[in-house]
Structures are given as structure tokens and as C-alpha cells.
């Protein structure tokens, strides 16, 4: 029985369960990639991310072809067309089975349900696999049978569940019978042109590059991760998030590499290794959150009582934040890093998100959407989780009264102003002391908000909301 494998955010050959399990049957596999215009618009998918996907597909097509697996691409305007188009594709290629790897946000779950139901009514077999996480959502429950709300408890249970398992990433799919010649897909025709060559060089595509980054990070930086990870001017983190987001590498491959470097130990051994594994578990936590608390996928706060927070409508301040013109050098440099590279260091994501929500009191949803429109690693679960954490509206979020002061953060995590100087060369001449808060004589714009006043006001507004 021939199988159609629908690729989405799993753009790799190795350790790809849907692809591997289909190939194992040895009866022919066709891989498909579908681009939906409505979906791109609704989820404000960044052009840099779409281009990253395009480049991955270009690398994958000949690799799949070498295994006699044709890659077919299709474009649709609306999400409503997807079930019928997938069915048509399966029928055109005489596939009686449809395999795909699961995606967890509500929109994707509903889409996949609709496709599966439609294909099943026509007699097809449909199978869903889990590749985006090591422990599938829904599997971890506390003593009362409820989903976890606190990360440390989730992490403990996650480790208890995973530690007895043997993490064995799957090999590349098996060679398929050579049935008929197929024409290579015109992948470029599917995507809008994107000409930023510097970003293509900064983020080379492909699973080989993803594995190279993983191994280089594990060999050179893993053991110092907990010491280095908060300094944006240091190369202390893996920069694997774009590759995990498009699925050029799997969390299993990441965890297996860490274990190999840590004598097979999960929660003992190297502090750096445990700390980095902790981040992979945070990633899993947020994937579970979108399934356990699906209303977060509808632009709603996880802690419902925080919906009453009176967010300010201030287009000018929001634009200044987007453009890196807030008058706070670390915030501005971070927002310019995002524009220039499609990526932002984690410490800075927290700083700029807190600044937007707690000092400017602008709705986290605007920041969440802007991030998605710019990020090469845009991932609904991680982005929503990060924004709701920063805004104190999410699960296990920062308590509302613990508000980062962006100038203290700057002095602490960019003490020599090295990071600020990269993105704000106009401040190059300032001393290491002045660069965090330039004097009025420097000509740098003054902060658009009073940090102390706005902090006090936000705490008062949150305390008026009462408890959850
Ligand atoms: C407001 C905000 C928005 C964010 N939006 C995204 C997003 O859209 N996509 C995204 O992948 N991450 C997001 N993050 C999480 C984090 O900032 C990035 O994953 C991290 O900066 C990526 O860099 P790295 O690959 O070098 O990470 P490393 O430090 O090397 O960590 C390894 C991997 O763990 C995962 N990870 C690390 N930290 C987190 C975290 N806090 N939450 C979830 N996963 C994590 C990522 O997949 C990352 O690649 C966001 C965080 C915040 C505060």
C-alpha cells in the first residue's frame, strides 16, 4: 500500500517517524508539502521563516528523490480547501494511506482532524505520529489527573517518564521501489521571492547544518551553558531554535546528543548539560500547554482573570518599540537584532517583552504577533508561552510584581556594552557605565517612559485584578 507523507514542521529525513514508518512498508512513498496563503496571513508567518522553509525543501527534494520518494508541492488559498486537496493528491498518486507528524496548536489540530476525517471517508488509512516532542501532550498528569501548571513539577514528571526509555533516533527513510520517473517540484514557484542573502548566509538550511550546529554546541559550549547563556554578546547558546522550529532537527536528536556528552545522565553530571536539557523541557512544556489549555490558541490569557488588565492603546509607543526607538539602549539594540537577523537572544526576548507589557502597558498579544512576523524561529507554543510568561498572564509566569528593570538587566548581562555597540554604533563612544542609560548630552533619545513610575502603576493595576 503506497503512502502519502504530509510534511509540515518536520523538514528532515533522519528521525522523522511519519517518513520512516511509511518507508519501512517498502510499498512506495510520496512526500507532500502544502502552503496555505490564509494560514500564512492568519499566523503572521515571517518572510524569513518562509524562505528558510523554502530552502529546506530545496535541499530535501533531491535527497528524497535519491530514495525514490517524489516530493510534491501544492499551494492553496484557504484552509477550507486543504482536506480535499490532500485527498486529491493521494488519489492522483494512488496512495491509500496518509501519514503525518502531529502539530499541537488548536488551528493545526482542527486542520488535521478535518483532513483525517475526509480521507477516512474515502477509505484511506490515516496515521499520526509524534515527532515535535519527546513526551506527547496529554501523557503527563499530576496526582489529581490534571495537567501541570508549574514547570518544575512538569519537569520532574517528564524526567521520570523519559529516563527509563532508550532514546534511539530513527535513521533516514528506506529506499523505495523505483516505480516511475517523476519531475522535480518547482519549489521556488510556491514562495514569494526573498532576497536577503545575508540572512540566508546567517541561517544555512538543511538537517546537516542543524546536526553540525548541535554537535559543535555540544562539543564546545554545552558544559558552560549555564554560565554563558544569559549574555547576549557571548556565543553561549546553541542557536538551534530556527532548526527545531522547522523540524530540521528533532528534540530526540538534541536530547540524545546531550546524554552522550553527559555519560548518559539526565539529571546528574554536567551542570551545563542539565541546564540545556532543561530548556528542551521548557520547549516541551509549552507544547503541552497549548493542548491542555487550548484557549491560549484563541488569543486569550491562560490566567483568565488577567483579561481584565487595562492594556494601553498607544500606537506611537508600540511603533517605537518595534523600531528600536524607545530610548533604552538594550531594548533598542535587541529590537534591531530581531530586524537584522530574524532572531533574538532569550534574555533579550524577556527584557523587551517585559518592557512592552509592564512599562509601556501594551497588550502582550501585539508583541506576540510582531515577534511572529519577524522571527525565523517563530513557534506558536514557545512564542505564546514566552509572551504570557513575561506578561504574567500565563502558567508558571513571572509574578506580576517581579518586573525586570531594562537598565539593570543591561548592566548585568551586557556589562561592557558589547552587544549594544553592535546594533547601536551611535553609542560606541560612550563609556561602559554610560552606555546603558546615555546622558541627555549624548544626543540619544530620552526613554519614552518613566521606568519607576510605570513599574509602580503596573503593579497597582495587577494587584487590583485580585487572585486567579
Ligand atoms: C517573549 C518570548 C518569545 C519567544 N518566542 C519563541 C519562538 O517563537 N520560538 C522559539 O523557538 N522560542 C521562543 N522563545 C524561547 C527562547 O527565547 C528561544 O527558544 C531561544 O532564544 C532560542 O535560542 P537558542 O536556540 O540559542 O536556545 P538554547 O538556549 O540553545 O536552547 C535550546 C533550545 O531550547 C528551546 N528553548 C530555549 N529556551 C526556551 C524557552 N524559554 N521556551 C521554549 N523553548 C525554549 C529552544 O527550542 C532552543 O533552541 C521565546 C521566549 C520569549 C521570552
Amino acid at each position: 500500500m503506497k503512502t502519502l507523507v504530509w510534511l509540515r514542521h518536520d523538514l528532515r529525513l533522519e528521525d522523522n517517524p511519519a517518513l520512516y514508518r511509511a518507508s519501512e512498508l517498502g510499498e512506495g512513498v510520496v512526500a507532500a508539502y502544502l502552503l496555505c496563503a490564509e494560514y500564512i496571513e492568519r499566523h503572521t508567518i515571517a518572510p524569513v521563516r518562509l524562505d528558510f522553509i523554502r530552502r529546506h525543501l530545496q535541499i530535501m527534494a533531491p535527497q528524497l528523490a535519491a530514495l525514490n520518494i517524489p516530493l510534491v508541492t501544492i499551494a492553496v488559498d484557504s484552509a477550507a480547501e486543504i482536506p480535499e486537496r490532500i485527498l486529491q493528491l493521494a488519489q492522483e498518486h494512488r496512495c491509500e494511506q496518509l501519514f503525518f507528524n502531529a502539530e499541537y496548536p488548536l488551528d493545526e489540530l482542527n486542520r488535521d482532524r478535518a483532513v483525517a476525517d475526509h480521507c477516512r471517508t474515502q477509505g484511506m488509512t490515516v496515521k499520526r505520529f509524534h515527532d515535535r516532542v519527546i513526551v506527547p501532550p496529554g501523557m503527563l498528569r499530576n496526582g489529581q489527573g490534571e495537567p501541570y501548571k508549574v514547570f518544575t513539577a512538569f519537569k520532574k514528571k517528564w524526567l521520570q517518564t523519559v529516563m527509563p526509555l532508550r532514546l534511539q533516533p530513527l535513521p533516514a527513510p528506506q529506499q523505495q521501489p523505483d516505480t516511475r520517473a517523476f519531475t522535480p517540484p518547482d519549489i521556488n514557484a510556491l514562495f514569494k521571492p526573498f532576497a536577503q542573502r545575508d540572512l540566508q548566509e546567517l541561517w544555512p538550511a538543511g538537517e546537516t547544518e542543524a546536526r553540525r550546529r548541535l554537535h559543535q554546541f555540544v562539543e564546545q559550549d554545552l558544559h558552560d551553558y549555564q554560565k554563558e547563556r544569559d549574555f547576549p554578546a557571548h556565543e553561549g547558546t546553541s542557536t538551534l531554535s530556527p532548526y527545531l522550529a522547522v523540524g530540521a532537527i528533532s528534540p530526540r536528536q538534541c536530547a540524545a546528543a546531550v546524554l552522550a556528552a553527559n555519560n548518559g545522565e539526565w539529571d546528574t553530571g554536567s551542570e551545563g548539560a542539565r541546564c540545556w536539557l532543561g530548556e528542551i523541557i521548557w520547549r516541551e512544556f509549552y507544547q503541552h500547554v497549548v493542548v491542555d489549555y487550548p484557549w491560549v490558541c484563541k488569543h486569550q490569557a491562560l490566567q483568565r482573570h488577567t483579561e481584565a488588565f487595562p492594556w494601553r492603546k498607544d500606537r506611537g509607543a508600540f511603533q517605537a518599540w518595534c523600531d528600536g526607538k524607545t530610548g533604552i539602549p538594550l531594548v533598542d539594540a535587541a529590537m534591531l537584532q530581531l530586524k537584522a537577523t530574524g532572531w533574538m537572544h532569550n534574555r533579550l526576548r524577556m527584557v523587551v517583552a517585559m518592557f512592552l507589557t509592564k512599562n509601556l502597558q501594551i497588550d502582550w498579544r501585539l508583541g506576540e504577533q510582531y515577534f511572529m512576523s519577524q522571527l525565523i524561529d517563530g513557534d506558536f507554543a514557545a512564542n505564546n508561552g514566552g509572551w504570557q510568561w513575561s506578561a504574567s498572564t500565563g502558567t508558571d509566569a513571572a509574578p506580576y510584581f517581579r518586573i525586570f528593570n531594562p537598565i539593570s538587566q543591561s548592566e548585568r548581562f551586557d556589562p561592557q556594552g558589547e552587544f549594544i555597540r553592535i546594533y547601536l554604533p551611535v553609542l560606541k563612544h560612550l563609556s561602559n557605565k554610560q552606555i546603558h542609560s546615555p546622558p541627555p548630552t549624548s544626543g540619544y533619545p530620552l526613554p519614552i517612559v518613566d521606568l519607576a513610575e510605570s513599574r509602580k502603576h503596573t503593579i497597582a493595576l495587577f494587584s487590583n485584578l485580585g487572585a486567579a
Side-chain angles (χ1 to χ4, degrees):
M1 223 188 318
K2 211 164 153 189
T3 308
L4 182 71
V5 176
W6 180 14
L7 297 171
R8 293 94 67 86
H9 293 102
D10 50 356
L11 301 182
R12 65 180 182 283
L13 272 70
E14 285 193 16
D15 197 36
N16 185 324
L19 206 46
Y20 185 78
R21 294 297 169 213
S23 78
E24 234 179 4
L25 304 171
E27 294 175 23
V29 177
V30 174
Y33 188 83
L34 178 147
L35 203 64
C36 172
E38 181 190 330
Y39 188 87
I40 292 171
E41 202 186 314
R42 197 161 65 218
H43 295 267
T44 53
I45 299 178
V48 65
R49 191 171 135 214
L50 287 168
D51 184 65
F52 197 50
I53 292 172
R54 176 187 67 80
R55 290 185 286 126
H56 274 87
L57 291 171
Q58 264 175 340
I59 292 173
M60 285 179 81
Q63 292 171 337
L64 288 166
L67 299 171
N68 291 325
I69 301 176
L71 174 66
V72 189
T73 55
I74 35 173
V76 298
D77 289 330
S78 76
E81 294 169 59
I82 297 176
E84 182 56 23
R85 290 301 299 273
I86 291 285
L87 177 68
Q88 278 174 3
L89 199 64
Q91 290 173 338
E92 238 170 75
H93 291 269
R94 299 201 173 81
C95 294
E96 290 164 51
Q97 302 199 103
L98 172 68
F99 285 10
F100 54 79
N101 293 311
E103 298 195 317
Y104 307 113
L106 193 58
D107 228 9
E108 285 79 351
L109 281 178
N110 287 338
R111 175 199 63 194
D112 291 350
R113 242 176 243 135
V115 170
D117 289 349
H118 192 58
C119 291
R120 284 191 184 114
T121 57
Q122 299 303 310
M124 284 182 69
T125 303
V126 181
K127 283 192 188 161
R128 189 174 89 125
F129 299 82
H130 293 281
D131 87 311
R132 218 161 164 68
V133 282
I134 298 174
V135 180
M139 268 188 70
L140 303 183
R141 292 290 180 255
N142 65 17
Q144 287 73 51
E146 291 162 351
Y148 286 93
K149 288 206 169 94
V150 176
F151 174 70
T152 35
F154 173 88
K155 182 177 167 187
K156 197 167 160 211
K157 184 76 176 183
W158 189 95
L159 283 167
Q160 280 170 2
T161 309
V162 169
M163 277 161 69
L165 306 177
R166 260 187 74 230
L167 270 193
Q168 189 82 61
L170 294 164
Q174 298 176 10
Q175 183 89 22
Q176 296 305 295
D178 188 0
T179 43
R180 59 176 170 146
F182 42 79
T183 35
D186 186 357
I187 291 165
N188 283 344
L190 201 65
F191 293 84
K192 288 197 177 130
F194 180 84
Q196 279 183 267
R197 285 193 73 91
D198 53 332
L199 291 191
Q200 295 175 344
E201 280 157 25
L202 187 65
W203 302 109
E207 63 182 293
T208 309
E209 169 64 15
R211 287 199 300 271
R212 187 196 67 73
R213 281 185 185 228
L214 172 64
H215 293 299
Q216 182 175 316
F217 171 74
V218 166
E219 273 162 31
Q220 295 176 8
D221 304 310
L222 179 68
H223 298 300
D224 288 329
Y225 178 72
Q226 88 287 3
K227 282 191 249 141
E228 294 291 329
R229 67 183 177 137
D230 278 315
F231 297 91
H234 301 190
E235 288 182 359
T237 71
S238 68
T239 63
L240 274 170
S241 53
Y243 300 88
L244 278 159
V246 299
I249 197 148
S250 74
R252 258 180 319 273
Q253 289 171 309
C254 292
V258 175
L259 281 191
N262 195 31
N263 302 317
E265 295 172 61
W266 288 92
D267 58 349
T268 47
S270 152
E271 212 178 313
R274 280 183 283 140
C275 186
W276 196 68
L277 195 59
E279 298 306 324
I280 298 292
I281 306 174
W282 264 109
R283 182 183 170 279
E284 301 247 328
F285 180 56
Y286 287 140
Q287 299 283 338
H288 284 232
V289 163
V290 297
V291 175
D292 289 329
Y293 307 95
W295 62 90
V296 300
C297 302
K298 295 181 180 170
H299 310 293
Q300 290 167 21
L302 190 138
Q303 293 187 45
R304 292 181 189 272
H305 75 288
T306 63
E307 284 293 357
F309 190 90
W311 301 109
R312 277 186 341 117
K313 290 191 174 49
D314 185 340
R315 278 173 165 272
F318 179 64
Q319 200 54 50
W321 176 83
C322 295
D323 293 341
K325 291 189 173 154
T326 67
I328 310 275
L330 188 69
V331 172
D332 295 347
M335 297 307 290
L336 295 176
Q337 179 183 40
L338 178 59
K339 266 195 208 292
T341 68
W343 185 87
M344 192 192 289
H345 188 278
N346 181 58
R347 168 65 41 188
L348 303 177
R349 294 188 205 208
M350 294 190 289
V351 169
V352 303
M354 278 230 186
F355 179 77
L356 185 78
T357 54
K358 304 290 178 55
N359 294 109
L360 297 179
Q361 290 152 4
I362 289 177
D363 198 329
W364 57 271
R365 282 160 276 235
L366 290 178
E368 180 196 20
Q369 190 183 40
Y370 180 71
F371 263 34
M372 282 307 264
S373 75
Q374 301 291 313
L375 281 172
I376 189 166
D377 66 13
D379 171 87
F380 179 81
N383 193 41
N384 185 274
W387 274 97
Q388 296 224 38
W389 183 91
S390 307
S392 307
T393 62
T395 191
D396 204 3
Y400 69 79
F401 46 83
R402 206 172 295 149
I403 298 179
F404 289 177
N405 177 315
I407 295 174
S408 320
Q409 291 282 312
S410 186
E411 289 163 346
R412 191 162 161 209
F413 296 112
D414 191 27
Q416 325 287 321
E418 286 168 87
F419 178 80
I420 293 176
R421 285 187 175 85
I422 298 172
Y423 291 99
L424 291 171
V426 290
L427 298 181
K428 249 185 176 158
H429 63 285
L430 292 187
S431 68
N432 292 350
K433 194 165 183 298
Q434 285 185 326
I435 199 161
H436 307 287
S437 177
T441 50
S442 69
Y444 197 70
L446 293 174
I448 59 171
V449 65
D450 181 313
L451 294 177
E453 275 302 312
S454 54
R455 177 181 181 280
K456 247 198 299 181
H457 189 213
T458 298
I459 291 175
L461 290 172
F462 261 104
S463 61
N464 286 344
L465 296 178

